[in-house]
Amino acid sequence: MPETKCPVTDTIGKLSTVIDSGGLTDPRSRRRAEDILALLNDVAWGRADSEHLPAIESLTRKLEEQGKTESSQNAGKLVRTALAQHREIFISHIDTHNCSSGDCLRLAPAPCQMTCPAGLDIPTYVTLIGMGRDAEAIDVIRRDCPFPWVCGLVCTRPCEFMCVRARIDTPICIKSLKGFAAERAMSEGSYKNPPKEPDKNRKVCVIGAGPGGMSAAYYLSLKGYGVRVIEQQPVAGGMLLLGIPRYRLPREVIDREVVMLKNLGVEFQFNTAFGTDITLQQLKTEGFEAYFVAIGAHQSFKLGIPGESDFPQVKQAIDFLRDVALGDRQVPGKHAVVIGGGNVAIDAARTCLRLGCESVTLAYRRARSEMPADHEEVEQAEEEGIRFEFLNIPSEIIGSGGRLEGLRCLKAKLVSKKGQDRKYPVPIEGSEYTIGADVIICAIGQQVDTACMESVKGLEWTRRQTINVQMATMESSLEGIFAAGDAVTGPATVIEAIGGGKRAAESIDRWLSGIPQPSMPPVPTRRRRVEYLEVPAITKMTLKRPEMPLLNIDRRRTTFQQVELGHTENMVREEARRCLRCDICLRCGKCVEVCRDRMKVDALQMGYFDFDHPVATDFRVTEDRCILCGACATNCPTGAMRMEDRGGERVLSLCGTLLNRKKLLYCQSCGAVLGPERYLDFVHKRTHAVARVADDRRLCEVCARKSTAKFSAAGAPVKRG
Amino acid sequence: MSKYYIYQDAKRCIGCFSCESHCKTKNNLPIGPRLSQIIPVGPKKLNNLPRMSYVFMPCFHCQEPWCVAACPTGAMQKRPKDGIVFVDDTLCVGCKACITACPWGTPQWNPETGKAVKCDYCMDRVDQGLEPACVTKCITKCLHFGDPAKKSQSKRDRHAKKVADFE
């Protein structure tokens, strides 16, 4: 959670003030305080390791106890209380190299990473993919998410909604980049499991082989625990396989990534329903010490209208999709109506079409703009010929002689409800009409099937029928039982389940090792600080987010072949170069301020820095106006803006974007670098009114001083020896 | 020129660099910038004997300083009351225009702060009625700080004395 003020930066500020004020008169105390300050700066710069905190604490103790003056004792006390109150945040800085408040400038996290429910280090892997280092990128991703390929195909990509690049044009195609890298690494055989920690000889049981359960299994297994995953179905994947149709996520992709878990030694026990086939008691006697419940949300909500349970042709979307996924691919009817507006509804509708339904209608009670389904999915469904009916409220399912005939609906209008963002549909009196159908599929939401957990006495549930957990640690009300995924959040996304599973694995490890649990949710970890990809300003501005090539429409209507064909290698490498590297540049605007307000050069046009008042961004204009004085780079707190002399040129770049490069001129006496002509002209123009020189040689400052000294030494009368 | 002047009696200077060391200490400077500098010149043969000169070069605090004209942010200023040229730290953004502009190579780059620094005759000391650090700590007392008119006077006096001594 974003802190209003970072205690690390705060302590550094206070301690520096004490030191600078000169109050620490006792030299030993002063030195100790300075040492503490240096160590604290390491923490704030992401240079600290596990020995920093103990060192700070021991110095603080000495400062407080052995300080000769009151001010040194107070300085010690200041650091001690800050550490006592915010120890977790200090540790988090050291471990994650991210400061969620953004106060520690070098540790300001990228918006994409902060938004990702699993906290993937997106700028790092995007850059690695841009460099063509796919396997390394996969290693980075898998430290936070064991299923890069799955996520690369089906993630709802909250990161892309936060992408800063969208303030310039369109967000980086993060999802597809990840998918490409995973596919490439898998096909090359460089998609490998990281080394496992030594066996701990302790066993953890995971209930449910969905994305949440398998993520926990992966991280627990890496930590050296013996993990068994219990699954009701005969296959691993959970909703990945049972809920997401094959044309979006081929099951081979799931299989290949699940095999990676099996290679780690994770044991799968299929066809075993928890609560009926196996009980908690049985598992306990088998020696399991902790349990992770990730049973998902597989029970559909009922419409609650007459006729709903009278016809076998009224199906629940989740059941329907599951049957199709498990091999029952019969056409459900000629004219299908799918009720709902979420991703599941779209999936069911498109599946119906592929199974051979003549017409598929999607009935949604709100308007198109209110649909919770992904925009792309809706578009693709429409292209395939799914008909959409908006603003209708189902009132009755009608039929005769056991044959389903249609769905009676009332027209609806949207009204705003006080205190709610979303508009609410209200039926219009007397507007009844019928949508003809011989199969109706309800996709109005799912909930957790609580029945299997009934035997687990004392497990607390929320009002929404989800397992009640401590969100920082995923601990349930029962000792040793953890939960995550849809079972905790209600129907949500793959990446949320993965994040939950990862968090749970961490706290299961802590619980089993007797380490106290954190009180705040973990801050995403900065995995690396990779070099920038160098991109000319023109390229940076003109590269466009690539369109996703799709399967031809006839195949999309008739087969379950993958619809999104994936980007080509060239598209992917180029797309990665559009990334603005927000893990380094925190968009503080210092460079712009210095250039525009102080230097009055105004060569930097970075509209995207400012969220609220966007002006156009153009990296290209810099070249026209910039004098390469380097003040922006000097004042950049993170090293994002860089000025270097190389290859006879002075080069200015922002996170690798080449803003300006100009030929260098050299000292005519010693050959030292003077700067580019435009810079020297800038200075000359300002001084020409006062500067009148006879000798117009361009000299560096050292030679200038020397030549003056020689002149005065030679000119001075010297007494004869 | 400023109201003040540092006169170096080159005859007495042994090139010990005390002035430079104390300048750096007083101004808390890292490796790199040297505000006042002793520039060794020579050796040069004079009457068949090798001779070294040590030229003390602080800032000249020019009448019309190029550095002040060059500075785009107004950080480099000439103090009206006594003509001392100095850098206002808070305004300097580190564009190095002053360093480039100065024909004497006076302004220096402080890599730690990312700003320009230069000799300001230790103006905080001057304001307290003290002398600049270099002058205070000069081992051979060859550096003298004060009114340029008086300095030239002392030189003249000495020369007169020499002439009178019929050396």
Side-chain angles (χ1 to χ4, degrees):
Chain A
M1 291 299 105
E3 293 282 324
T4 40
K5 191 147 175 59
C6 171
V8 180
T9 303
D10 192 38
T11 313
I12 289 173
K14 283 181 183 153
L15 189 61
S16 316
T17 319
V18 173
I19 294 172
D20 292 345
S21 71
L24 303 176
T25 43
D26 158 26
R28 184 173 286 168
S29 297
R30 190 183 165 87
R31 206 191 61 229
R32 279 179 182 146
E34 280 169 353
D35 287 349
I36 294 172
L37 188 67
L39 291 171
L40 285 172
N41 271 320
D42 282 351
V43 175
W45 276 64
R47 295 180 298 219
D49 58 29
S50 56
E51 283 166 21
H52 272 69
L53 268 197
I56 294 172
E57 277 167 333
S58 114
L59 278 168
T60 308
R61 212 174 308 121
K62 282 183 192 151
L63 181 62
E64 197 176 358
E65 285 164 10
Q66 301 169 13
K68 291 210 175 87
T69 59
E70 203 180 321
S71 59
S72 36
Q73 289 157 13
N74 283 344
K77 197 175 159 200
L78 176 130
V79 182
R80 180 174 55 80
T81 40
L83 267 175
Q85 279 172 11
H86 307 287
R87 205 186 157 76
E88 250 181 57
I89 298 179
F90 280 83
I91 294 174
S92 158
H93 273 63
I94 296 169
D95 289 346
T96 68
H97 295 188
N98 267 340
C99 167
S100 55
S101 73
D103 281 348
C104 298
L105 299 177
R106 294 281 295 192
L107 302 185
C112 48
Q113 184 180 16
M114 289 307 273
T115 313
C116 179
L120 271 65
D121 188 352
I122 293 160
T124 299
Y125 74 72
V126 165
T127 307
L128 286 171
I129 293 171
M131 292 169 176
R133 288 147 75 177
D134 297 317
E136 268 179 79
I138 293 304
D139 283 343
V140 169
I141 297 170
R142 289 189 95 220
R143 299 189 64 176
D144 297 298
C145 161
F147 305 110
W149 200 356
V150 167
C151 285
L153 298 179
V154 299
C155 187
T156 49
R157 58 199 196 291
C159 52
E160 290 186 23
F161 292 98
M162 281 306 284
C163 180
V164 176
R165 179 78 204 210
R167 299 184 207 167
I168 300 178
D169 43 26
T170 43
I172 308 295
C173 204
I174 302 169
K175 180 186 91 164
S176 157
L177 257 55
K178 183 165 48 218
F180 173 88
E183 188 178 317
R184 174 59 60 93
M186 192 65 95
S187 95
E188 281 179 347
S190 53
Y191 187 125
K192 296 227 168 68
N193 277 326
K196 243 175 105 164
E197 280 175 37
D199 266 352
K200 289 198 164 71
N201 287 321
R202 305 181 76 173
K203 295 204 292 181
V204 180
C205 182
V206 171
I207 300 155
M214 290 198 291
S215 292
Y218 174 78
Y219 291 109
L220 285 167
S221 179
L222 282 182
K223 284 180 197 291
Y225 292 97
V227 185
R228 183 191 298 172
V229 182
I230 290 175
E231 170 60 48
Q232 184 177 8
Q233 301 296 336
V235 281
M239 275 295 186
L240 296 179
L241 187 107
L242 307 170
I244 303 175
R246 282 212 325 234
Y247 59 84
R248 276 176 61 203
L249 179 60
R251 58 186 303 170
E252 298 79 12
V253 172
I254 309 171
D255 292 346
R256 290 298 292 265
E257 292 203 313
V258 169
V259 165
M260 301 304 291
L261 263 71
K262 290 184 178 160
N263 290 347
L264 268 184
V266 175
E267 187 193 332
F268 285 88
Q269 188 178 339
F270 294 118
N271 298 311
T272 311
F274 181 79
T276 46
D277 299 329
I278 201 160
T279 64
L280 191 62
Q281 206 48 52
Q282 277 171 297
L283 289 166
K284 271 187 186 154
T285 51
E286 275 192 57
F288 288 103
E289 295 180 70
Y291 304 87
F292 177 60
V293 182
I295 52 172
H298 290 260
Q299 197 177 54
S300 301
F301 279 122
K302 289 271 160 46
L303 280 169
I305 55 173
E308 193 182 0
S309 34
D310 300 345
F311 304 97
Q313 295 93 340
V314 178
K315 294 170 186 280
Q316 304 304 331
I318 286 301
D319 302 343
F320 168 67
L321 289 171
R322 185 203 307 125
D323 293 343
V324 175
L326 292 177
D328 178 15
R329 285 192 293 274
Q330 294 175 56
V331 56
K334 277 188 178 162
H335 304 284
V337 169
V338 178
I339 304 169
N343 279 328
V344 175
I346 303 277
D347 285 345
R350 295 174 75 186
T351 299
C352 284
L353 197 78
R354 281 163 174 76
L355 289 174
C357 291
E358 280 170 26
S359 78
V360 183
T361 308
L362 192 129
Y364 180 51
R365 56 188 186 148
R366 292 190 174 92
R368 177 191 298 272
S369 56
E370 311 265 312
M371 282 179 90
D374 265 11
H375 169 71
E376 280 91 351
E377 301 265 324
V378 176
E379 208 167 74
Q380 288 178 14
E382 277 193 307
E383 283 167 10
E384 287 163 18
I386 310 269
R387 219 166 56 80
F388 286 78
E389 287 254 358
F390 293 106
L391 294 164
N392 45 48
I393 296 172
S395 58
E396 191 187 350
I397 288 169
I398 51 168
S400 61
R403 239 188 82 237
L404 181 66
E405 280 167 358
L407 178 72
R408 293 286 286 164
C409 298
L410 278 163
K411 285 257 176 229
K413 60 179 178 198
L414 288 179
V415 291
S416 303
K417 248 192 176 177
K418 216 181 161 189
Q420 274 183 342
D421 294 343
R422 268 182 106 194
K423 285 186 174 172
Y424 208 76
V426 173
I428 303 167
E429 286 291 323
S431 63
E432 268 203 346
Y433 71 110
T434 307
I435 309 172
D438 51 14
V439 58
I440 291 177
I441 295 171
C442 298
I444 55 164
Q446 303 96 257
Q447 56 182 345
V448 183
D449 186 357
T450 56
C452 66
M453 299 306 289
E454 257 163 25
S455 59
V456 185
K457 297 278 175 262
L459 188 67
E460 258 179 42
W461 296 81
T462 64
R463 265 187 315 123
R464 293 167 54 231
Q465 285 296 301
T466 56
I467 300 174
N468 194 16
V469 297
Q470 176 60 259
M471 282 317 269
T473 60
M474 312 316 279
E475 287 172 292
S476 76
S477 56
L478 292 175
E479 186 93 326
I481 297 187
F482 301 75
D486 285 359
V488 165
T489 54
T493 59
V494 174
I495 195 70
E496 278 171 83
I498 290 173
K502 186 181 71 160
R503 239 176 6 252
E506 171 67 29
S507 53
I508 290 171
D509 178 44
R510 282 184 179 224
W511 184 72
L512 289 174
S513 325
I515 303 169
Q517 298 286 3
S519 60
M520 55 172 201
V523 176
T525 307
R526 183 190 303 270
R527 297 298 175 189
R528 279 162 75 174
R529 229 176 242 279
V530 285
E531 244 320 292
Y532 305 128
L533 282 169
E534 216 159 76
V535 188
I538 295 175
T539 316
K540 196 86 175 182
M541 289 306 294
T542 50
L543 278 175
K544 292 277 172 294
R545 181 184 164 108
E547 289 278 330
M548 174 58 77
L550 300 179
L551 188 70
N552 77 56
I553 195 75
D554 301 322
R555 292 229 179 125
R556 275 164 58 188
R557 288 204 191 103
T558 51
T559 71
F560 279 82
Q561 280 182 41
Q562 199 172 347
V563 172
E564 296 189 345
L565 298 175
H567 290 126
T568 63
E569 167 152 18
N570 190 46
M571 283 171 167
V572 165
R573 308 280 183 235
E574 291 290 282
E575 176 64 359
R577 302 171 80 196
R578 289 174 65 230
C579 176
L580 299 168
R581 289 302 299 273
C582 305
D583 59 329
I584 309 288
C585 173
L586 64 140
R587 306 168 304 289
C588 64
K590 191 102 197 177
C591 50
V592 177
E593 188 225 302
V594 163
C595 185
R596 183 190 57 206
D597 304 343
R598 312 284 289 276
M599 293 298 296
K600 311 272 188 310
V601 173
D602 198 10
L604 299 174
Q605 198 178 310
M606 315 292 189
Y608 73 97
F609 280 5
D610 201 335
F611 209 124
D612 302 320
H613 310 283
V615 293
T617 296
D618 198 342
F619 295 122
R620 291 166 293 199
V621 300
T622 306
E623 204 189 346
D624 305 334
R625 301 187 204 146
C626 168
I627 56 164
L628 286 162
C629 70
C632 50
T634 305
N635 287 281
C636 176
T638 64
M641 189 68 87
R642 228 185 245 175
M643 199 171 79
E644 297 157 292
D645 291 345
R646 59 176 198 218
E649 286 183 323
R650 179 159 288 178
V651 182
L652 181 76
S653 61
L654 173 64
C655 294
T657 306
L658 299 174
L659 298 175
N660 194 9
R661 59 200 311 169
K662 289 277 175 289
K663 224 176 120 236
L664 281 171
L665 297 179
Y666 299 92
C667 173
Q668 287 170 336
S669 166
C670 72
V673 170
L674 288 180
E677 186 155 24
R678 197 190 281 176
Y679 174 66
L680 298 176
D681 283 351
F682 171 84
V683 176
H684 181 70
K685 236 180 237 157
R686 298 189 63 90
T687 54
H688 80 277
V690 289
R692 282 170 296 274
V693 270
D695 182 5
D696 63 351
R697 289 198 311 159
R698 292 200 193 267
L699 293 181
C700 70
E701 47 133 344
V702 179
C703 291
R705 208 185 272 236
K706 258 192 208 146
S707 83
T708 317
K710 266 191 200 135
F711 171 76
S712 35
V718 182
K719 200 190 159 206
R720 289 182 189 168
Chain B
M1 295 295 277
S2 92
K3 214 172 93 184
Y4 310 107
Y5 175 59
I6 294 179
Y7 165 67
Q8 182 204 17
D9 187 353
K11 200 182 101 185
R12 301 184 71 137
C13 183
I14 56 170
C16 72
F17 292 88
S18 291
C19 47
E20 274 200 35
S21 321
H22 286 95
C23 173
K24 286 197 76 145
T25 311
K26 189 261 160 188
N27 291 298
N28 196 20
L29 294 174
I31 294 170
R34 296 158 63 200
L35 304 191
S36 69
Q37 290 185 17
I38 291 285
I39 310 284
V41 182
K44 215 175 173 184
K45 277 274 173 84
L46 267 181
N47 294 341
N48 226 9
L49 287 168
R51 283 196 70 110
M52 283 293 289
S53 302
Y54 299 98
V55 183
F56 177 72
M57 289 189 63
C59 173
F60 295 143
H61 299 269
C62 310
Q63 190 59 40
E64 284 184 330
W66 299 8
C67 55
V68 173
C71 179
T73 67
M76 189 68 80
Q77 301 167 22
K78 192 168 174 69
R79 191 155 83 158
K81 78 169 179 191
D82 52 14
I84 289 179
V85 180
F86 68 101
V87 187
D88 181 342
D89 235 25
T90 54
L91 294 177
C92 179
V93 295
C95 72
K96 302 186 187 168
C98 52
I99 300 177
T100 311
C102 178
W104 320 117
T106 297
Q108 299 279 300
W109 180 246
N110 185 341
E112 238 170 42
T113 57
K115 292 174 194 293
V117 272
K118 73 175 283 296
C119 164
D120 57 3
Y121 280 161
C122 296
M123 62 185 201
D124 52 332
R125 289 177 59 85
V126 171
D127 289 346
Q128 291 170 46
L130 301 167
E131 292 186 324
C134 52
V135 176
T136 315
K137 290 291 182 177
C138 174
I139 299 286
T140 61
K141 299 270 174 255
C142 77
L143 293 180
H144 302 272
F145 177 74
D147 187 342
K150 279 192 190 137
K151 291 303 147 195
S152 65
Q153 189 59 45
S154 68
K155 207 185 248 181
R156 203 178 292 211
D157 289 349
R158 198 163 66 192
H159 186 67
K161 265 187 206 153
K162 268 183 204 160
V163 174
D165 281 349
F166 304 105
E167 272 181 0

